[in-house]
């Protein structure tokens, strides 16, 4: 059995979790620049607001107060996301975080009789601890688990176990083909032209037809609908090292900030290169300093500082900028340091990181690709060169890099419109 835990109306629920007076209020959360609707409460769904609908189309509803609109508060949603995923892991040892508000739960080895009970316990914990409503679907494949969870949300049931046989087919007939996991708008249109309107229509097509019309991805979906588990999220079984570090002892005690800064930047370049080589991204970076144990006039000091990235990263520039900030925090003028180090942890395979629902997926893809290509190019040029040929400006002792704050600049959209609220 596979479970899918899916938070209901996630962004809306996050806003409500910090302001319970919004419970029962028709509300939406808007995308960057308040352009379009990216989350709807059940009340606004009933009023006919569509996912992705341009905000100006519902402007009158917002100004008249019939719908409350919020600007996205990314920081809140990411923090909530981490907490909810932690709750899932507490009940089920093996989970795959699939998106900001969804996680697959590996229920193998857990008796069927206990599954509903565990599902209910997860719902209760998420609600009690984080005030986030969650729906769980359980079935024999990931595709069917997703369908079970969707069904639960429509019916207002918290835990749904997948249907089988005739009941499954009847259920699939009620679901549009566009609701099938992995089928986007364009593919739906093509399938309509071939007379496939519902998931049930696809279910009854022969496999040969599916293979020729939809390729391997379609074939996998079809098999999953028929109960054969074959969508492997390839990072499921890949085991990652959970931290990478580089620490050095200096030949003499150092009290020069610029020197330490350059050393930290170089360690960052090394560890981030190792991170990228294993195709990982990290969620946490730590910088530490140690004084000399044998010079006791000030006592032994071991300051350290940590940064948590709610969106895990592998970008050397971002990591270095974060590390330098940590160093600024822990460095005390006049103290002489003997050792320094950088530790990357909370490492996950880069495929498992979901792009924020807010980002235009294609744009985000392009951005990530661009950054990865740049890093690959730098890694390639530097291959075998301990003294890197290509460096980031911050690795140079004298160069003032003007550390750009890459990882926090994406938070908090501006508030252009007085009709729109924000919790951020
Ligand atoms: Mg959801």
């Amino acid at each position: 059995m596979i479970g899918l835990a899916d938070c209901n109306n996630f962004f809306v629920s996050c806003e409500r979790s910090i302001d319970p007076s919004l419970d029962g209020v028709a509300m939406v959360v808007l995308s960057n620049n308040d352009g379009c609707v990216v989350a709807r409460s059940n009340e606004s769904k009933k009023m006919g607001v569509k996912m992705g609908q341009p905000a100006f189309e519902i402007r009158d509803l917002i100004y008249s107060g019939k719908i409350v609109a919020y600007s996205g508060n990314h920081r809140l949603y990411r923090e909530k996301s981490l907490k909810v995923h932690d709750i899932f892991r507490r009940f089920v040892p093996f989970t795959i975080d699939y998106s900001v508000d969804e996680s697959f739960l590996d229920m193998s080895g857990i008796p069927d009789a206990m599954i509903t009970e565990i599902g209910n316990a997860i719902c209760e914990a998420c609600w009690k601890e984080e005030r986030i409503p969650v729906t769980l679907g359980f079935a024999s494949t990931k595709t069917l688990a997703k369908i079970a969870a969707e069904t639960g949300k429509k019916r207002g049931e918290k835990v749904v176990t997948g249907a089988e046989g005739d009941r499954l087919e009847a259920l699939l007939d009620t679901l549009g083909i566009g609701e099938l996991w992995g089928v986007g708008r364009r593919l739906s249109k093509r399938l309509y032209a071939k007379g496939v309107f519902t998931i049930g229509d696809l279910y009854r097509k022969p496999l040969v037809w599916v293979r020729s019309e939809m390729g391997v991805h379609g074939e996998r979906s079809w098999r999953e609908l028929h109960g054969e588990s074959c969508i492997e999220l390839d990072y499921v079984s890949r085991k990652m090292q959970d931290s990478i570090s580089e620490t050095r002892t200096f030949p003499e005690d150092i009290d020069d900030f610029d020197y330490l800064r350059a050393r930290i930047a170089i360690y960052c370049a090394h560890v981030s290169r190792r991170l990228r080589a294993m195709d990982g991204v990290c969620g946490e970076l730590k910088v530490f300093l140690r004084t000399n144990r044998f010079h006791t006039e000030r006592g032994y000091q071991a300051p350290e500082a940590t940064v948590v990235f709610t969106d895990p990263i592998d970008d050397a520039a971002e990591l270095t900028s974060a590390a330098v900030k940590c160093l600024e925090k822990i460095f005390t003028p006049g103290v002489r340091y003997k050792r320094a180090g950088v530790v990357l942890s909370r490492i996950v395979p880069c495929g498992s990181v979901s792009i924020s629902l807010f980002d235009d997926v294609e744009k985000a893809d392009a951005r990530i690709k661009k950054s990865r290509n740049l890093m690959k190019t730098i890694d390639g040029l530097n291959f075998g060169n301990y003294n890197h040929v290509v460096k980031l400006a911050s690795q140079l002792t004298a160069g003032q890099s003007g550390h750009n704050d890459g990882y926090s600049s994406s938070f908090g959209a501006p508030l252009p419109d007085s009709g729109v609220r924000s919790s951020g």
Side-chain angles (χ1 to χ4, degrees):
M1 276 280 199
I2 288 279
L4 178 74
D6 185 359
C7 303
N8 304 350
N9 312 332
F10 184 58
F11 296 166
V12 164
S13 299
C14 289
E15 297 292 350
R16 285 177 171 173
S17 74
I18 56 171
D19 182 0
S21 74
L22 294 168
D23 285 357
V25 171
M27 62 179 289
V28 293
V29 173
L30 302 175
S31 65
N32 284 339
N33 311 318
D34 299 333
C36 62
V37 173
V38 292
R40 305 160 296 161
S41 69
N42 290 342
E43 297 78 11
S44 51
K45 283 179 193 170
K46 275 186 196 136
M47 291 167 77
V49 178
K50 297 274 175 286
M51 191 68 169
Q53 189 167 6
F56 68 82
E57 289 182 12
I58 57 165
R59 199 167 38 191
D60 292 346
L61 292 169
I62 296 172
Y63 284 135
S64 64
K66 289 189 179 114
I67 286 184
V68 174
Y70 269 72
S71 274
N73 178 354
H74 299 232
R75 186 187 285 274
L76 170 67
Y77 309 152
R78 282 173 190 153
E79 279 169 8
K80 278 280 172 191
S81 170
L82 288 176
K83 285 181 179 159
V84 170
H85 285 301
D86 278 345
I87 293 178
F88 299 156
R89 268 188 284 279
R90 220 161 65 205
F91 289 89
V92 180
F94 201 54
T95 68
I96 307 148
D97 296 352
Y98 176 65
S99 76
V100 68
D101 71 330
E102 288 167 284
S103 198
F104 284 106
L105 316 175
D106 183 349
M107 307 304 285
S108 50
I110 299 172
D112 282 5
M114 283 180 66
I115 283 177
T116 308
E117 202 179 310
I118 292 172
N120 282 322
I122 291 174
C123 286
E124 200 183 310
C126 288
W127 180 252
K128 270 201 179 140
E129 294 169 34
E130 300 299 333
R131 271 192 114 259
I132 298 289
V134 174
T135 304
L136 288 106
F138 293 102
S140 52
T141 68
K142 294 189 183 75
T143 302
L144 291 172
K146 250 179 132 50
I147 288 173
E150 281 310 313
T151 312
K153 277 197 273 185
K154 279 188 194 159
R155 293 187 192 151
E157 290 168 20
K158 285 181 186 153
V159 181
V160 176
T161 308
E164 279 168 21
D166 291 348
R167 270 183 56 227
L168 173 64
E169 206 172 326
L171 172 67
L172 297 183
D173 279 335
T174 68
L175 302 172
I177 189 68
E179 293 179 73
L180 180 61
W181 189 23
V183 175
R185 212 168 292 172
R186 212 183 307 158
L187 182 54
S188 303
K189 269 194 189 156
R190 234 178 62 211
L191 290 169
Y192 291 163
K194 308 270 177 191
V196 173
F197 298 97
T198 67
I199 302 182
D201 291 337
L202 181 71
Y203 181 82
R204 282 181 294 269
K205 285 283 180 194
L207 181 56
V208 187
W209 184 91
V210 174
R211 201 179 289 151
S212 72
E213 293 294 331
M214 300 170 69
V216 281
H217 294 292
E219 176 176 346
R220 264 190 243 160
S221 295
W222 186 93
R223 286 181 187 276
E224 287 244 327
L225 288 173
H226 287 266
E228 185 186 334
S229 184
C230 53
I231 296 184
E232 288 309 328
L233 301 167
D234 58 353
Y235 40 86
V236 176
S237 53
R238 232 195 300 164
K239 181 119 176 59
M240 284 263 150
Q241 214 175 317
D242 41 64
S243 74
I244 303 175
S245 63
E246 182 153 314
T247 310
R248 290 283 179 273
T249 303
F250 307 126
E252 52 194 273
D253 296 359
I254 303 291
D255 61 358
D256 178 354
F257 179 80
D258 284 342
Y259 179 87
L260 287 171
R261 183 164 148 277
R263 300 315 299 171
I264 291 292
I266 288 167
Y267 305 161
C268 254
H270 293 167
V271 290
S272 73
R273 196 165 91 173
R274 279 159 61 196
L275 181 67
R276 289 189 297 277
M278 64 193 247
D279 251 344
V281 285
C282 76
E284 200 173 291
L285 173 146
K286 182 167 86 174
V287 172
F288 64 84
L289 294 170
R290 302 283 184 263
T291 57
N292 196 326
R293 282 180 190 279
F294 304 102
H295 293 179
T296 50
E297 73 273 18
R298 273 176 180 255
Y300 178 59
Q301 292 183 36
E304 51 188 56
T306 303
V307 184
V308 173
F309 308 104
T310 39
D311 268 349
I313 57 170
D314 67 354
D315 186 284
E318 287 186 60
L319 289 167
T320 308
S321 135
V324 168
K325 273 193 201 131
C326 288
L327 178 68
E328 284 166 352
K329 242 187 254 173
I330 59 176
F331 176 80
T332 310
V335 174
R336 297 161 69 81
Y337 297 98
K338 183 70 182 164
R339 276 170 81 76
V342 174
V343 184
L344 305 182
S345 54
R346 290 204 194 189
I347 293 170
V348 290
C350 80
S352 70
V353 177
S354 64
I355 294 150
S356 155
L357 288 179
F358 264 154
D359 286 338
D360 177 340
V361 175
E362 273 170 28
K363 244 191 250 163
D365 266 356
R367 198 189 64 220
I368 290 167
K369 251 185 218 143
K370 206 168 140 195
S371 159
R372 305 207 108 230
N373 284 344
L374 172 64
M375 286 301 143
K376 282 229 162 77
T377 308
I378 293 179
D379 290 348
L381 287 170
N382 287 335
F383 182 75
N385 265 306
Y386 189 73
N387 292 314
H388 291 182
V389 178
V390 179
K391 296 182 185 192
L392 294 163
S394 49
Q395 283 169 253
L396 307 171
T397 312
Q400 292 301 312
S401 65
H403 359 101
N404 66 332
D405 192 359
Y407 61 97
S408 65
S409 61
S410 61
F411 294 137
L415 253 188
D417 201 333
S418 58
V420 180
R421 300 189 202 171
S422 170
S423 63

